Amino acid sequence: MRTSTYRHFIPFVTITSAALLLTACGSGTGGPDAAGVAAEKAEVPTTDVVSAVRKDDAAAKLLPAGTTRLTVAVSVGGTPPGTTYLDDGKTLTGQDVDFTKAVARVLGIELKVEQASFEAILPALDSGKYDFGASNFGVTDERRKTIDFVTYVNDGQGFATRKDSKLAKVTDLRQLCGLNVATSAGTTFEATLEQNEHVCADAGEKAYKVQTYAESSAVWSSLQQGRSDVVMSTINGLRYAVAHQQGLKFLNEYHRLDVGFAFKKGTDLAPAFQAAVNKLLSDGTYDRILRKWGTAGSAIEKSRISPPELKN
């Protein structure tokens, strides 16, 4: 995927994949619902926090020789702070987009942007179809078996529900027994719920039902229309959705996770990306990106390569 053919940055404008799959992703489910949920259309932040970023020679030297262009896979989650579209319907924006573009500028490389479903990105890295993925991928011990990560924020798992729900906080998945839980396909949320389905049977209670959806609008419509009782998604995505949809409430954070750019196992790109993120941390760009998207609570002190999963 690395080539020296191109000399100018390719902006996050044209999506090059043939199948334009608009799917739910780990970068946040929420926001305006094309299926008819009563939700306000939130204004997408448009502050330019990237164009002033300059190449850092020290970080760029860590790239494999001849690397001038990389292919990045992204998944459109629907609304900020996850990857979404500006009003023109074609320009991608979001927290992950800003971090990806900023890192590319630090490294002095171009980006070829391809869109894919969230659950398809990680399996495709090993084949070389993409050089890396940028869709709010949570770092888990299971994923680290086959994927390398370079961290850039801390997000994680949480819950939201309707305001008329009796749920106030979910600290134990047994509180979900007998309920319908909506989430996005191929995510850490789906994995967490499926791996712990036994807790209800162990307690002699009716199992909760996991309802997975490919599109974020379907997740929220299932909740708003009563087909599901609670949503499990990213902390930042849930907070945003609750702030911009009527009749919802954020329950709580459940499990914090580091979030990173995803690469095939054994990648030689990780040191350069780590250095680039740390450069953004030191020059103030990092804080400007978080302020733009209202995610200051996701700040990290330094980037790490494939750290162990956070346990909390």
Side-chain angles (χ1 to χ4, degrees), residues 23 29 35 52 54 57 105 114 129 135 207 209 214 236 238 256-257 265 297 301 304 306:
T23 62
T29 58
R54 297 292 177 259
D57 290 335
R105 294 184 71 90
E114 295 203 10
K129 184 176 183 179
S135 287
K209 181 179 179 181
N236 289 334
L238 291 170
R256 278 276 174 178
L257 287 172
K265 194 70 176 176
E301 294 184 358
R304 296 192 293 169
S306 297

Side-chain angles (χ1 to χ4, degrees), residues 29-33 37-40 159-165 167 216-217 219-226 228-231 237-251:
T29 58
D33 174 24
V37 170
E40 301 175 22
F159 293 95
T161 188
R162 294 182 299 276
K163 284 186 176 179
D164 61 3
S165 172
L167 282 172
S216 60
S217 60
V219 173
W220 292 107
S221 64
S222 72
L223 181 65
Q224 293 276 32
Q225 297 172 7
S228 63
D229 303 295
V230 64
V231 167
L238 291 170
R239 290 188 185 280
Y240 183 90
V242 168
H244 295 95
Q245 293 193 47
Q246 297 178 355
L248 301 181
K249 64 179 179 181
F250 179 74
L251 291 176

Side-chain angles (χ1 to χ4, degrees), residues 60-100:
K61 286 180 180 179
L62 297 175
L63 286 169
T67 302
T68 60
R69 184 195 192 211
L70 296 176
T71 298
V72 54
V74 301
S75 177
V76 176
T79 60
T83 303
T84 187
Y85 292 106
L86 292 179
D87 288 343
D88 62 11
K90 62 181 181 180
T91 304
L92 290 178
T93 188
Q95 179 172 272
D96 296 317
V97 172
D98 280 343
F99 273 116
T100 303

Side-chain angles (χ1 to χ4, degrees), residues 11 191 220 252 262 305:
W220 292 107
N252 60 287
I305 297 174

Side-chain angles (χ1 to χ4, degrees), residues 81-256:
T83 303
T84 187
Y85 292 106
L86 292 179
D87 288 343
D88 62 11
K90 62 181 181 180
T91 304
L92 290 178
T93 188
Q95 179 172 272
D96 296 317
V97 172
D98 280 343
F99 273 116
T100 303
K101 291 196 296 185
V103 164
R105 294 184 71 90
V106 170
L107 298 177
I109 57 174
E110 299 168 350
L111 295 173
K112 178 184 178 184
V113 185
E114 295 203 10
Q115 185 174 317
S117 62
F118 180 81
E119 62 269 29
I121 295 175
L122 296 184
L125 293 175
D126 188 58
S127 70
K129 184 176 183 179
Y130 314 119
D131 291 303
F132 70 104
S135 287
N136 207 76
F137 290 108
V139 181
T140 68
D141 290 338
E142 183 64 27
R143 284 176 171 173
R144 289 193 308 127
K145 295 176 182 178
T146 56
I147 300 292
D148 279 342
F149 294 94
V150 173
T151 62
Y152 58 95
V153 292
N154 175 272
D155 194 350
Q157 305 173 338
F159 293 95
T161 188
R162 294 182 299 276
K163 284 186 176 179
D164 61 3
S165 172
K166 294 181 180 180
L167 282 172
K169 191 174 183 180
V170 179
T171 58
D172 189 318
L173 294 184
R174 284 178 296 181
Q175 294 171 257
L176 303 177
C177 294
L179 301 180
N180 294 324
V181 186
T183 195
S184 299
T187 59
T188 62
F189 324 118
E190 180 184 14
T192 295
L193 291 167
E194 291 185 344
Q195 290 167 6
N196 291 279
E197 282 181 318
H198 62 88
V199 299
C200 295
D202 293 348
E205 299 183 45
K206 182 180 179 181
Y208 55 73
K209 181 179 179 181
V210 182
Q211 300 172 319
T212 58
Y213 298 92
E215 296 186 4
S216 60
S217 60
V219 173
W220 292 107
S221 64
S222 72
L223 181 65
Q224 293 276 32
Q225 297 172 7
R227 296 192 306 276
S228 63
D229 303 295
V230 64
V231 167
M232 187 179 190
S233 189
T234 66
I235 295 166
N236 289 334
L238 291 170
R239 290 188 185 280
Y240 183 90
V242 168
H244 295 95
Q245 293 193 47
Q246 297 178 355
L248 301 181
K249 64 179 179 181
F250 179 74
L251 291 176
N252 60 287
E253 298 182 7
Y254 179 71
H255 179 37
R256 278 276 174 178

